[in-house]
Amino acid sequence: MKKTLILIVSVLIAASNSYATKYKVADMEQYKTTVKKLVPGDSLILANGVWKDAQLSFKGNGTPDKFIYLVAETPGRVSIEGKSRLQLSGQYLYVSGLKFVNGSTPKSVVIEFRTGSTEYAYNSVLSHCVIDKFNQSAKDSADHWVGIYGKKNTVEYCYFGGKSNEGTTLVVWPNDSNSINNSHLIYRNHFGPRPRLGANGGETIRIGTSQVCHLNSGTIVDGNYFERCNGEVEVVSNKSGENKFVNNTFFECEGSLVLRHGNNALVSGNWFIGNGKINTGGVRIINEGHKIFNNYFYKLAGDEFRSGIAIMNAIPNSPANGYAPVRNVMIANNTFYDCVNPWAFGVGFGERNRIVRPESTLLLNNLIVSPNSSELIKRYDTTEGIKTDNNIMINNTGSVKTEGSVEGEIIKGKISGIEMVYTKQKAKKLPFVKYDILGQVRNEAVIGAFQHGDGDAAVEIATARNCGPEWYETSISTEVKNSKPAGKILTVAPGADNLSKAIKKAAAGDIVVLSEGEYTIGNKIALNKDLTLRGDGKGKNPVIRMKSERENNSFFEIGGNARIEFQGIDFNGDSKATYPAKYVFASAKEGAFGYSLFVNNCNIYDVKVDGGAVFKAYKGSMCDSILISNSVISDSYRGISLSDEKDNTGKYNAESVVLHNSVFSNIAQYAIDYYRGGNDESTLGGSLSINHCVFDAVADDEKQSVLKLTGIVTVNISNSIFCNTAAKVSVKLSGLKNSISNSNFSSCPAPKIEKGAKSVMLFSESPAFEKKSYQLSKKSKLAGKATDGGNIGLQ
């Protein structure tokens, strides 16, 4: 498909250029001189190579049969790097084959369909271009990658992936008379993985803003592939009227297509493929007049805001940026298979004064088959304004007999390798549902998205292979790229700075093996590539110690999106040294987006510098995952510090923290300070899981707490022991997704439970540890009381 399109483009250029001129330029001086000469049919060709710090302005007025072209000499071999951007304005312009990498825009947009406040582009095309990891160095330095103004512009067959700083990947701006009712087309693009931002402003597409949501944009988003776009809860944010989202694939995206503002959206023919991945969502509905039909929701694991269909409650007399009432919405002929929470009604009730219920909303002819779920409809409020009719609903016990449900035989099949279910049960006809999700004619319409289980599909499912430019390697499926061989094993002997030298030589994916003995480091070691550091397992754990000549140093500084593992190593903070280490692990102060830290079978001790911590995340950093398992953290000032985002806009420093089978003992302040301030619902994140841990003598000041948690959405504590603290608060759990179970509090306050948090099976027994160990003695009353049948505390 993509080869055919490239051939068509080449023929068009050749035909239009039969009476035109091709100009090849090699640098910016030649570009600036030549671009002024272009007339309809002309082509401006950028020579292959690196164009650094190139600020390209492309103005011109072509005609419908004679575009003006800005193209790469060879598609993909023109790399635009450094502080670079492209602006275009005029009529009938065509840009193709450019690649933006290794840099960032010096302004607020990378590619912009305007050159001034009133100089817009019309009838122009951006095709087969790439923007990949073209990010600012600071996460909170916001920019957009593509900004579309004017009318009847097209963005097609492009790749946009790896955006890690704030700002939407692609924005449509229907802000004035020259940009409303624009008929823009966003077609067959590959929106590649976007890491979790941990802040608002991580959308992949936004059409409009709350200020102009009453205006119509009329933009069409057709046949695009969204791959793991996890920036925030809104993968696509609709904020204007009359937009269409058709035939797109959302593959393992931790968020939803959100009809946030604006009316009369059409959502049809889309594939929401969750594969059971956490937080994968479908369509969230606000405002009125929408039609959602012929969509397939497959193994979505999200709930509440990220349910398959989430219908929101509204705010009375809502301001433009609030929540307007859901009215006159039709949700028809969709199929939901094996979704955790297929439908959620009245979402948001009880928060931010969302008390206005949906009206005149109908769910008709839908098929739900959820073999692993019991509750198919989650109601957060009374829902008289939502009606259900002629739906087949099957949960883990069989057919659900509820208002508006019918029975019908379910048939299983596969489409493009994806499981699907369909039925022959007749649907109630709707004038706008003439075809099914595959473009098959609905002569005798049936319930669900699929008219038949076979037949010739008129619609090609959007995938990584038919979206984006074929010449760009990243267009290959992520699963294929991740099948690379393991790295080399590098052995390093004990001694001064041997470890630093070995890490500098190591390549991404390598395993650095340490023998028994002491490794001293004189300065922090930067870790910005995937590495594993482990002991050889032949004797005692090797010991890493800081021997620095400066204050406030850290053992390791983690940057980029590196995945770092430590196994079987001890870390000595050496508080009696002239310049003891302040941190063992710290994020880089810039550019630390999406990194992960895994610590297993390690001992970390004597990190006592005031204000220091075992782990420190700086403001503007974002850690994807922290896992500490089978380890002991002791005799230190603080444990894990994730609290630098204090502007209370929903930002936080780590997506997921897991503490398993580990001990925190003799910690002066907290074991963890995990902060997410404010109530911004674009970041429904922050996840803490604690299982089989011991917290002994943590927080020696009554003003402290053992676990300091602020605004973290999901907290699960189980099978753990809290003992011997001076703090007045052990832990405060707040919210429906906070829970603690089968845990013990000895010489330690019980947890504070509020706002729907849950506590089950809490004890106040003396743990009865064995001597010089945190293992329970056989006489302990906590033996066998864990949720898994084992002991509370260490396994």
Side-chain angles (χ1 to χ4, degrees):
M1 172 65 78
K2 286 190 278 188
K3 286 183 178 180
T4 303
L5 282 168
I6 290 174
L7 178 61
I8 291 171
V9 170
S10 299
V11 170
L12 286 172
I13 293 174
S16 66
N17 283 358
S18 56
Y19 299 102
T21 305
K22 296 181 180 179
Y23 299 94
K24 181 178 175 182
V25 295
D27 56 41
M28 282 304 299
E29 288 302 316
Q30 292 179 13
Y31 177 89
K32 291 175 182 177
T33 301
T34 308
V35 73
K36 299 174 184 178
K37 301 178 183 179
L38 302 177
V39 297
D42 284 354
S43 297
L44 183 55
I45 301 169
L46 301 187
N48 290 345
V50 174
W51 288 66
K52 191 167 184 179
D53 300 332
Q55 298 193 40
L56 303 168
S57 180
F58 182 40
K59 298 182 183 181
N61 288 291
T63 61
D65 59 340
K66 288 187 177 183
F67 277 65
I68 300 175
Y69 297 89
L70 173 63
V71 298
E73 179 183 2
T74 304
R77 292 180 62 185
V78 173
S79 291
I80 302 177
E81 304 183 8
K83 293 296 183 182
S84 297
R85 63 172 177 156
L86 166 66
Q87 293 179 292
L88 59 152
S89 67
Q91 294 267 6
Y92 299 103
L93 306 177
Y94 193 101
V95 180
S96 180
L98 308 183
K99 179 174 65 176
F100 289 79
V101 292
N102 302 322
S104 61
T105 176
K107 299 293 184 179
S108 59
V109 187
V110 180
I111 300 176
E112 191 170 25
F113 282 69
R114 68 173 183 174
T115 57
S117 60
T118 59
E119 294 178 337
Y120 293 173
Y122 302 88
N123 303 294
S124 296
V125 179
L126 180 71
S127 180
H128 293 84
C129 288
V130 165
I131 308 177
D132 194 352
K133 300 183 180 69
F134 206 66
N135 294 311
Q136 305 292 337
S137 59
K139 186 185 77 169
D140 54 0
S141 292
D143 62 21
H144 308 303
W145 278 4
V146 179
I148 308 178
Y149 296 81
K151 295 187 179 182
K152 295 186 178 180
N153 294 313
T154 298
V155 177
E156 63 178 13
Y157 289 94
C158 293
Y159 176 84
F160 309 113
K163 192 175 196 309
S164 58
N165 62 301
E166 286 186 27
T168 307
T169 305
L170 184 151
V171 184
V172 176
W173 298 95
N175 288 23
D176 57 30
S177 60
N178 293 314
S179 291
I180 61 172
N181 300 312
N182 53 61
S183 299
H184 295 317
L185 176 62
I186 302 166
Y187 180 72
R188 286 296 185 193
N189 300 286
H190 182 173
F191 292 92
R194 177 160 190 178
R196 297 160 176 161
L197 181 64
N200 190 7
E203 306 98 325
T204 295
I205 289 181
R206 192 184 78 231
I207 304 177
T209 63
S210 59
Q211 290 83 359
V212 298
C213 63
H214 58 287
L215 300 176
N216 290 337
S217 184
T219 297
I220 301 169
V221 181
D222 182 2
N224 301 278
Y225 184 65
F226 297 85
E227 179 186 10
R228 299 187 178 99
C229 297
N230 302 336
E232 62 151 271
V233 69
E234 299 182 24
V235 178
V236 174
S237 185
N238 181 82
K239 293 188 175 181
S240 51
E242 303 288 346
N243 297 311
K244 296 180 180 180
F245 305 92
V246 295
N247 304 325
N248 303 286
T249 298
F250 295 83
F251 181 79
E252 296 182 2
C253 292
E254 295 181 5
S256 303
L257 192 169
V258 180
L259 307 180
R260 185 65 183 88
H261 302 302
N263 301 324
N264 304 318
L266 185 147
V267 180
S268 177
N270 300 287
W271 297 69
F272 297 88
I273 309 300
N275 288 333
K277 298 296 177 68
I278 185 172
N279 294 329
T280 46
V283 180
R284 180 153 59 103
I285 301 165
I286 305 140
N287 286 78
E288 58 187 81
H290 308 307
K291 292 183 175 64
I292 298 103
F293 61 97
N294 279 345
N295 301 286
Y296 186 37
F297 302 83
Y298 176 75
K299 292 193 174 183
L300 301 178
D303 60 3
E304 293 185 85
F305 283 67
R306 292 179 171 113
S307 299
I309 291 290
I311 303 175
M312 297 284 294
N313 265 20
I315 298 171
N317 302 311
S318 176
N321 65 350
Y323 287 83
V326 175
R327 295 185 180 127
N328 303 315
V329 171
M330 176 69 76
I331 303 163
N333 287 95
N334 302 287
T335 295
F336 302 79
Y337 180 69
D338 201 9
C339 295
V340 170
N341 193 178
W343 294 352
F345 298 165
V347 177
F349 171 68
E351 299 287 339
R352 301 173 70 174
N353 198 32
R354 285 184 291 237
I355 59 174
V356 179
R357 296 162 185 151
E359 301 175 10
S360 305
T361 295
L362 176 63
L363 293 98
L364 174 70
N365 299 335
N366 298 287
L367 172 61
I368 301 179
V369 179
S370 285
N372 297 301
S373 297
S374 59
E375 190 176 28
L376 303 185
I377 305 176
K378 177 70 174 177
R379 291 180 169 88
Y380 294 88
D381 191 9
T382 56
T383 54
E384 295 88 349
I386 301 175
K387 303 298 182 184
T388 60
D389 186 19
N390 204 49
N391 303 293
I392 295 177
M393 308 179 73
I394 300 174
N395 68 2
N396 56 358
T397 63
S399 294
V400 176
K401 291 181 172 60
T402 186
E403 180 185 354
S405 67
V406 296
E407 294 188 359
E409 180 187 3
I410 303 303
I411 306 166
K412 292 186 176 181
K414 281 193 174 182
I415 297 290
S416 296
I418 302 170
E419 295 176 281
M420 51 86 77
V421 290
Y422 66 101
T423 181
K424 295 182 179 179
Q425 182 69 31
K426 288 186 178 180
K428 295 185 177 181
K429 288 191 175 182
L430 293 166
F432 56 87
V433 188
K434 298 178 181 178
Y435 305 92
D436 78 343
I437 188 173
L438 297 172
Q440 299 177 121
V441 177
R442 289 184 181 268
N443 290 324
E444 291 292 330
V446 300
I447 288 174
F450 300 95
Q451 180 67 14
H452 305 291
D454 52 17
D456 295 327
V459 176
E460 185 180 18
I461 299 172
T463 68
R465 299 189 182 279
N466 58 28
C467 296
E470 69 166 5
W471 48 262
Y472 196 56
E473 182 182 356
T474 310
S475 296
I476 300 171
S477 172
T478 302
E479 285 79 7
V480 175
K481 292 195 300 177
N482 283 345
S483 61
K484 60 185 179 182
K488 296 178 181 179
I489 294 178
L490 307 175
T491 302
V492 56
D497 291 326
N498 287 352
L499 182 59
S500 304
K501 294 174 184 177
I503 289 174
K504 286 180 181 178
K505 292 179 181 178
D510 284 352
I511 300 171
V512 180
V513 178
L514 286 67
S515 304
E516 181 180 343
E518 186 173 87
Y519 296 75
T520 59
I521 54 179
N523 201 357
K524 65 185 176 186
I525 298 176
L527 300 175
N528 50 25
K529 53 196 170 188
D530 294 359
L531 286 176
T532 297
L533 285 77
R534 62 175 173 83
D536 62 12
K538 295 180 180 179
K540 295 181 180 179
N541 282 1
V543 178
I544 301 176
R545 183 169 64 87
M546 174 69 69
K547 190 175 183 180
S548 179
E549 296 182 358
R550 64 180 69 179
E551 292 182 322
N552 300 331
N553 219 332
S554 59
F555 282 54
F556 298 97
E557 182 183 83
I558 307 173
N561 61 350
R563 186 182 192 276
I564 307 299
E565 297 185 44
F566 291 94
Q567 301 176 16
I569 297 173
D570 291 354
F571 301 84
N572 182 357
D574 195 2
S575 63
K576 294 181 180 180
T578 304
Y579 296 107
K582 189 172 185 179
Y583 310 114
V584 177
F585 314 109
S587 71
K589 292 184 178 180
E590 289 189 348
F593 309 140
Y595 66 95
S596 294
L597 174 66
F598 301 90
V599 176
N600 181 46
N601 189 29
C602 294
N603 296 302
I604 305 173
Y605 54 91
D606 202 15
V607 186
K608 293 184 176 180
V609 174
D610 282 359
V614 169
F615 179 90
K616 166 72 173 180
Y618 283 100
K619 181 177 175 61
S621 67
M622 182 58 184
C623 181
D624 185 86
S625 302
I626 298 171
L627 170 59
I628 297 177
S629 58
N630 309 307
S631 297
V632 177
I633 295 175
S634 62
D635 302 307
S636 296
Y637 187 73
R638 291 172 176 162
I640 301 169
S641 180
L642 304 169
S643 59
D644 261 18
E645 300 289 357
K646 292 290 180 64
D647 54 3
N648 293 333
T649 58
K651 297 179 182 179
Y652 51 102
N653 288 122
E655 185 65 34
S656 174
V657 180
V658 177
L659 310 179
H660 178 74
N661 201 47
S662 294
V663 174
F664 290 76
S665 69
N666 296 315
I667 310 295
Q669 293 197 349
Y670 46 77
I672 182 170
D673 184 359
Y674 197 179
Y675 190 92
R676 173 184 175 271
N679 60 0
D680 191 291
E681 292 166 333
S682 295
T683 59
L684 300 179
S687 173
L688 174 64
S689 174
I690 298 175
N691 190 26
H692 285 291
C693 289
V694 174
F695 301 90
D696 177 33
V698 176
D700 59 13
D701 185 331
E702 65 178 14
K703 295 180 180 180
Q704 295 293 325
S705 55
V706 179
L707 306 178
K708 192 175 180 181
L709 309 178
T710 306
I712 303 305
V713 174
T714 304
V715 178
N716 293 296
I717 302 171
S718 58
N719 308 318
S720 295
I721 294 173
F722 298 77
C723 56
N724 304 318
T725 181
K728 286 187 176 180
V729 178
S730 57
V731 57
K732 182 172 72 173
L733 301 179
S734 180
L736 295 173
K737 292 187 177 182
N738 279 216
S739 68
I740 185 168
S741 63
N742 298 67
S743 293
N744 187 72
F745 294 81
S746 173
S747 298
C748 179
K752 289 187 175 182
I753 307 297
E754 64 180 25
K755 296 183 179 179
K758 300 178 182 64
S759 63
V760 179
M761 295 287 288
L762 300 186
F763 303 91
S764 57
E765 305 287 347
S766 174
F769 295 122
E770 293 181 352
K771 289 184 178 180
K772 297 183 180 180
S773 167
Y774 281 102
Q775 296 288 344
L776 295 183
S777 69
K778 294 180 180 179
K779 296 181 180 180
S780 175
K781 294 181 180 180
L782 304 178
K785 297 294 178 65
T787 55
D788 53 16
N791 293 344
I792 292 177
L794 298 184
Q795 291 177 305

